[in-house]
Amino acid sequence: MAEVTLVEVAPRDGIQNEPTILDRAMKQALIGKLVAAGLRRIEVTSFVNPKRVPQMAGAGDLVSALRDDPAMAVAKPSLSALALNLRGAREAIAAGVDEVTYVVVASETFNQRNQGVPIAETLAQWRDVRAAAREAGCMTSLTIAAAFGCPFEGEVDPGRPAAIAAELAAADALPDEIALADTIGVAAPGDVTTRFALLREALPDLPLRAHFHNTRNTGLANAVTAIASGVTALDASVGGFGGCPFAPAATGNVPSEDLTYMLQRMGHLGGIDLDALIATGNWLGEQLGKQPPALLGRAGTFPGNLGKAA
Amino acid sequence: MAEVTLVEVAPRDGIQNEPTILDRAMKQALIGKLVAAGLRRIEVTSFVNPKRVPQMAGAGDLVSALRDDPAMAVAKPSLSALALNLRGAREAIAAGVDEVTYVVVASETFNQRNQGVPIAETLAQWRDVRAAAREAGCMTSLTIAAAFGCPFEGEVDPGRPAAIAAELAAADALPDEIALADTIGVAAPGDVTTRFALLREALPDLPLRAHFHNTRNTGLANAVTAIASGVTALDASVGGFGGCPFAPAATGNVPSEDLTYMLQRMGHLGGIDLDALIATGNWLGEQLGKQPPALLGRAGTFPGNLGKAA
């Protein structure tokens, strides 16, 4: 079975919209638990306006603290940060991330509302982001958000992500990895197959990543379909927390523990301690004062929980 | 895309383990709403010992009432009932169901605890059930329960369902349709592919059905995988209620509204009013005093709920 990498996004997408603000020590503890559970790619924060996303305040201090954390020095996870513009990307690079994830939204209205500029301007800034990141030795990934549907414009043309990718290829501005995000959780497996096939046609060799939300219960079905479409990295959020502040109905990233259970059973994923991941999702729920949407924490592993059932 | 039939099981598997007992009128109202939403195969009850499953008391009266219901006479849904032994099956046939669903459990321990007899005895009774149902003009389906894992014995051999099917074929005792049930919700898509491939090898022509629980969030991923494996009917429960009284950790059938959203988007399913189905799941939640596990009722359809998101 193809090896798949789980990219943990709880410290960013998972908590960004939660009203309970976690302090730096708490965020560092969360990331420490994720690394201890075996995760090696973690989106630790985003460099955005803290007035718009208060949970992400102090992003630079968090990254610096992680850089000084002995546990990180041993496990050497790849720490990424999300940026919506050149300024944010420069701050992330200066703070010392391993990877910069930049975002362009597939629909004009949503890009304008999320980034404050038109798509053309976002893509123009991307070229500078890419150059700055490469100069600093950072990996770059570009996420096409709302690639499966937009909360303002509705359906998104299936060829739209591939068209953006082709535009980047023509400008010699490809990232190291490209991701399609179902930001508001509307995709079904057929949508996944179509979009990734067109994207693969446009970019035969580029590593592909997918970011699904379980808003309409299709998250894991989309994940398994994405793997069949050649995707090699999948975003997930421990506990299944998360959403998007600009898409109010969008709650629930794919829960890392549920995705791990499925992928481990299929032989796609190794090196993760599922019990530690479940414990981390439950711990995060306690910090946020909410029951995690993840189901593994309620049902238990299998056949590990036989004693309980019998 | 292949046409798939949704088999609604809320009136049986969905509510059987709920502490709030619905009276006959309420069950009839539920079934009426499901038919009005466009569903045409409904598992309306089970003929089991009401001391063990109090919610299923009055099964015969319910079926009789449905037979006298003018809405049913117009829509002509196929009404099925589940039986665990010959006595239950005879009662179901006498009450006038269109279809008898009989159950054998893939593991000896679970069959003994669920049916009270060894597998061999359950299969011996099946031949009489089949003969009686055919004589009465009923469709027969046989569900192999715990086909993906057992709460007492753990992992179930992937070839076990096919071996049971081969035994029935050799005895000229095949049902009109055979189903594999993930009674305790442990399956991942790989398990689905393997088991249905072996089953298809043993029975090249028999219609296949699948019954998944979303206990570990893999329900819809398994459903879409089952369709790719040739399955033409999928069980689901409106609101996502349900479980198994003998497997305490098993909560949550695949929610009908979530499965319908996904299958409609993929072109697999026609004729169902998704909004009416969502309303029925919410209505059932009110009757049971519980929030439905289904997610469509919280997130809304797409792009139908654009106004809300914007």
Side-chain angles (χ1 to χ4, degrees), chain A residues 233-310:
Chain A
L234 288 165
D235 287 2
S237 175
V238 77
F241 295 102
C244 169
F246 309 108
T251 53
N253 279 266
V254 166
S256 305
E257 50 272 62
D258 299 357
L259 184 63
T260 297
Y261 173 81
M262 183 179 80
L263 296 184
Q264 281 185 345
R265 234 180 130 75
M266 297 180 76
H268 284 302
L269 194 65
I272 298 181
D273 178 341
L274 185 53
D275 288 322
L277 206 54
I278 291 171
T280 302
N282 290 339
W283 176 87
L284 181 56
E286 284 163 25
Q287 311 314 314
L288 297 173
K290 285 188 177 176
Q291 189 181 36
L295 298 185
L296 252 287
R298 305 180 208 175
T301 57
F302 175 81
N305 70 332
L306 269 186
K308 223 195 308 184

Side-chain angles (χ1 to χ4, degrees), chain B residues 82-122:
Chain B
L82 182 139
L84 300 179
N85 52 38
L86 179 58
R87 179 180 162 171
R90 282 187 173 139
E91 286 175 21
I93 295 163
V97 297
D98 300 296
E99 175 189 340
V100 177
T101 301
Y102 188 77
V103 174
V104 59
V105 185
S107 81
E108 197 60 72
T109 312
F110 200 0
N111 197 80
Q112 185 74 49
R113 289 181 74 147
N114 202 44
Q115 260 91 324
V117 296
I119 289 173
E121 171 60 21
T122 296

Side-chain angles (χ1 to χ4, degrees), chain A residues 1 113 148-156 184-191 195 214-218 220-222 224-225 246-249 255 258 261-263 265-266 293-296 298-303 305-310, chain B residues 1 113 148-156 184-191 195 214-218 220-222 224-225 246-249 255 258 261-263 265-266 293-296 298-303 305-310:
Chain A
M1 282 291 165
R113 291 181 71 147
F148 299 87
C150 166
F152 310 109
E153 297 185 13
E155 298 287 0
V156 164
I184 58 167
V186 299
D191 304 314
R195 277 160 182 76
N214 200 37
T215 316
R216 289 169 182 80
N217 229 336
T218 60
L220 275 82
N222 291 336
V224 76
T225 306
F246 309 108
D258 299 357
Y261 173 81
M262 183 179 80
L263 296 184
R265 234 180 130 75
M266 297 180 76
L295 298 185
L296 252 287
R298 305 180 208 175
T301 57
F302 175 81
N305 70 332
L306 269 186
K308 223 195 308 184
Chain B
M1 282 291 166
R113 289 181 74 147
F148 298 85
C150 167
F152 310 110
E153 296 184 14
E155 298 286 0
V156 164
I184 58 168
V186 299
D191 304 315
R195 278 161 182 76
N214 201 35
T215 316
R216 289 169 182 81
N217 228 337
T218 60
L220 275 82
N222 292 335
V224 76
T225 306
F246 310 110
D258 299 357
Y261 172 79
M262 182 178 81
L263 296 184
R265 231 179 134 75
M266 298 179 75
L295 298 185
L296 252 287
R298 304 181 209 173
T301 56
F302 176 83
N305 70 333
L306 270 187
K308 223 196 309 183

Side-chain angles (χ1 to χ4, degrees), chain B residues 25 51-52 67 75 114 134 143 151 156 168 174 188 207 241 247 274:
Chain B
K51 284 184 191 146
R52 288 185 76 184
R67 282 286 155 238
N114 202 44
R134 296 207 158 183
T143 297
V156 164
L168 295 173
L174 285 176
F241 295 103
L274 185 52

Side-chain angles (χ1 to χ4, degrees), chain A residues 15-141:
Chain A
I15 64 173
Q16 69 176 9
N17 207 22
E18 288 294 330
T20 303
I21 303 294
L22 305 185
D23 65 18
R24 196 185 71 199
M26 202 72 92
K27 290 174 186 169
Q28 203 175 339
L30 170 61
I31 294 161
K33 286 172 189 291
L34 293 166
V35 170
L39 293 162
R40 290 297 175 267
R41 270 187 82 180
I42 303 177
E43 197 170 297
V44 295
T45 189
S46 65
F47 286 82
V48 291
N49 185 343
K51 282 182 192 146
R52 287 185 77 184
V53 193
Q55 184 73 275
M56 294 294 106
D61 290 345
L62 174 64
V63 173
S64 299
L66 291 168
R67 282 285 156 237
D68 293 339
D69 188 328
M72 300 293 145
V74 173
K76 293 192 177 44
S78 178
L79 306 180
S80 72
L82 182 139
L84 300 181
N85 52 37
L86 180 58
R87 178 180 164 172
R90 281 187 174 139
E91 286 176 21
I93 294 163
V97 298
D98 300 297
E99 175 188 341
V100 177
T101 301
Y102 188 77
V103 173
V104 59
V105 185
S107 82
E108 198 59 71
T109 313
F110 199 0
N111 196 79
Q112 185 72 50
R113 291 181 71 147
N114 201 44
Q115 261 92 322
V117 295
I119 290 173
E121 170 60 23
T122 296
L123 290 178
Q125 287 191 35
W126 158 249
R127 288 167 213 185
D128 297 330
V129 167
R130 179 176 175 272
R134 293 206 160 183
E135 199 183 306
C138 295
M139 177 184 158
T140 60
S141 65

